[in-house]
Amino acid sequence: MSYDEWFRTDRLPHIYCAGCGNGTIINCTLAAVDQMGWKKEDTVFVSGIGCSSRAPGYILTDSLHTTHGRALAFATGVKMAKPAFNVVVFTGDGDLAAIGGNHFIHACRRNIDMTVVCMNNQIYGMTGGQGSPTTPLKCLSSTTPYGCAEPPFDLCELATAAGANYVARWTSYHVKELEKAVKVGLETPGFSFIEVLVQCPTAFGRRNKFRQVADHVEFLKSHSLLKAKRDRLIDQGQPVPEDMFVVGEITKRNRPAMGVKP
Amino acid sequence: MTRTEFWQGNTACAEGALAAGCTFFGGYPITPSTEVAELMAAKLPKKGGIFIQMEDEIASMASIIGASWTGARAMTATSGPGFSLMMENIGFAVMTETPCVVVNVQRGGPSTGQPTMSAQGDMMQVRFGSHGDIAIIALSPATVQEMFELTVKAFNHADKYRVPVFLMADETVGHMREKILVPDSVEKIGRKPFVPGNPPFKVTDPDLIPGFPTFGTGQHVHVTGLTHDERGYPAATNPPLHAALVKRLVDKIENARDEMADYDIVNPEAEQVFVAYGGPVRTVMQVMHDKKDKNVGFLRIRTVWPFPEKALLEFKNAKRFLVPEMNLGQIAREIERHVTVPVVPIPKLGGELHTPAELAAVLEEKA
């Protein structure tokens, strides 16, 4: 399978660090986009600020690299003004959940027809490794030098509670599952949210005992708990391990949506 | 052909926007601008346009920029506190050369201040409020008729110069009702067409304005708030390129200063000269009417930014410029930069217009 034609090859090389997982996520997203049969001129990629948000700059469509946290508000303007467009947003945990938190919940509430891929590396990578709203408790960052004291957001629970039609979580290890989830998100009318836990060796890994990239990816794999399995544990009255995160399709429903293609 | 209406200023603004072909309004309620949004909410859907109430003014500004790239004439309306929230995305619109119109029906600040009272305290904020070196266009209406006409002009300037254009109204003019002549149609100046094959931000014309590569036309344009090259690609660590880009963004507005100048001159031989824009224009007109004195001149400004400084030089005998403003002297300071004779600010805070007596009293003062 080739989706090279979606890449803006004259922008290469990219700015991502060695071992970064963002490229994997861009790859999976474009693989899904390619299967949709969309025309490039009808497709707009939008982003805010941060490592995640550089992604649209490497994609050969119209693209809007906006201000920190505001990608969804810009994307709302694009999609409402032109519902025929396919709108895909790349964002990160800091961009989406901290400075952009309000836009996130309102985009979910409006259930506006777009697909949002959140590269959650649990840290501010581009500014050098500060704690984010998804930095796990006790983890080290340059602004949590004694361990993060704040409980993190569960972005998928947030998106579900706020009204998104489709919500899924995978990791940079689960490439096939991720590609499939993005495709379902692209196909689902309304707001689709796909959170991807991703390694950041430069800003997160080296401070948190993941000296090797593979160690971090292995951690993401071994600490993923399938939603079906989690539900089964709950049904059986068994404890759900606290150090694991739920992966899979979290929510799929058909709430009224805005900006759906005519 | 025209028809006669009796409208509120904010109504005239919304009707002007609709006449100009505005098809997207993203806004957030705030006194004293809300009537603009309410009217757009009622009328835009019936014309096939989009009204969306966003979650805050940051999002409102973002939404109109997004809509503008799809080719829509897009607008928002707000007042002081919301205007402050818009500053970052205003800079984004300047950097990405995105046409859009922002209406600020000014109220008393700082902070929440006087939501229902009039002021002109945001005249420097509109010019310099967003970080970095920017240039924008700001128009200031003094009548309900001008609320309509300058809104139309704002859209035309925005499209022509690819810059955010501000209608800097005030609560007085926004909420005042008076007679207006509404034309059947208005002049529309669209965006410069994009020549396919060119890099999207390449400038070939002396006006320094690139053609607009609307989203969806197959140009695959990358739009970023980062310092970018002609292709639109980030080049944030290239010093000469950054300098040239920022200089061009400022020059394309400043070079068109004379072209955009919009003012009236009364009694150019006068020694004492009032300079006003917005609400205070009305008080000066009353004083001019009462005095009927050839030695009292009046410069009435509609395009406040870029400031039409040549208009000041037309008063060759001027001994004093008297500048009534509903602030502590913001444009008075700009005027001081351009003239050698004394500039007398006549500040009025509190939310009400100057009275004619207050202005007449300044005329009597010894120079």
Side-chain angles (χ1 to χ4, degrees), chain A residues 8 10-11 40-41 44 54 57 60-67 70 73-74 77-78 80-81 85 102-103 106 110, chain B residues 50 53-56 58-59 62-63 65-67 70 88-89 92 215-216 218 220-226 233-234:
Chain A
R8 200 184 279 277
D10 62 345
R11 278 288 324 276
K40 287 214 276 292
E41 58 262 40
V44 180
R54 289 305 190 99
L60 192 59
T61 65
D62 292 325
S63 52
L64 203 48
H65 175 221
T66 69
T67 49
R70 319 302 173 195
F74 281 88
V78 173
M80 290 305 294
F85 281 172
N102 198 32
H103 308 303
H106 284 279
R110 291 190 185 103
Chain B
I50 294 293
Q53 184 171 322
M54 296 301 288
E55 51 272 21
D56 56 32
I58 300 171
S63 73
I65 296 170
T70 72
E88 186 190 8
N89 283 339
F92 181 86
F215 278 10
H220 305 153
V221 55
H222 181 56
V223 178
T224 177
L226 283 165
Y233 294 177

Side-chain angles (χ1 to χ4, degrees), chain A residues 86-99:
Chain A
N86 315 297
V87 176
V88 182
V89 177
F90 282 112
T91 183
D93 44 309
D95 193 52
L96 183 82
I99 190 166

Side-chain angles (χ1 to χ4, degrees), chain B residues 80-210:
Chain B
F83 198 53
S84 291
L85 286 180
M86 289 178 181
M87 285 300 139
E88 186 190 8
N89 283 339
I90 287 169
F92 181 86
V94 170
M95 189 60 144
T96 56
E97 302 181 70
T98 307
C100 53
V101 172
V102 179
V103 178
N104 179 355
V105 186
Q106 294 171 87
R107 64 191 229 184
S111 190
T112 315
Q114 296 179 291
T116 62
M117 302 292 275
S118 195
Q120 296 178 301
D122 309 344
M123 298 309 296
M124 280 294 174
Q125 184 187 20
V126 67
R127 177 63 187 83
F128 296 107
S130 193
H131 60 276
D133 286 290
I134 63 167
I136 51 81
I137 301 169
L139 312 176
S140 199
T143 64
V144 171
Q145 187 76 41
E146 286 179 356
M147 281 294 273
F148 183 96
E149 289 169 2
L150 295 188
T151 301
V152 174
K153 187 179 251 194
F155 277 102
N156 286 339
H157 279 344
D159 275 357
K160 182 173 181 188
Y161 297 101
R162 286 190 62 177
V163 73
V165 178
F166 300 86
L167 187 78
M168 296 301 285
D170 49 66
E171 190 275 341
T172 309
V173 179
H175 279 164
M176 175 173 63
R177 285 179 161 82
E178 65 184 357
K179 190 176 99 170
I180 171 175
L181 298 175
V182 184
D184 289 342
S185 66
V186 299
E187 187 194 19
K188 291 175 200 162
I189 301 167
R191 299 173 190 177
K192 187 186 285 184
F194 179 73
V195 182
N198 266 348
F201 291 89
K202 186 178 171 67
V203 172
T204 50
D205 298 332
D207 63 10
L208 306 180
I209 304 162

Side-chain angles (χ1 to χ4, degrees), chain B residues 274-327:
Chain B
F274 283 112
V275 184
Y277 57 92
V281 163
R282 308 181 69 91
T283 312
V284 177
M285 286 171 74
Q286 184 66 48
V287 173
M288 299 295 290
H289 177 266
D290 295 346
K291 289 270 173 195
K292 294 188 177 59
D293 181 351
K294 284 278 175 203
N295 206 28
V296 178
F298 180 24
L299 171 60
R300 172 187 180 172
I301 298 174
R302 293 187 197 85
T303 300
V304 180
W305 299 116
F307 189 80
E309 84 279 6
K310 282 185 186 161
L312 296 166
L313 307 179
E314 295 194 33
F315 294 92
K316 295 199 164 37
N317 304 325
K319 293 210 165 100
R320 293 201 302 170
F321 286 97
L322 314 173
V323 191
E325 294 180 86
M326 288 188 282
N327 58 45

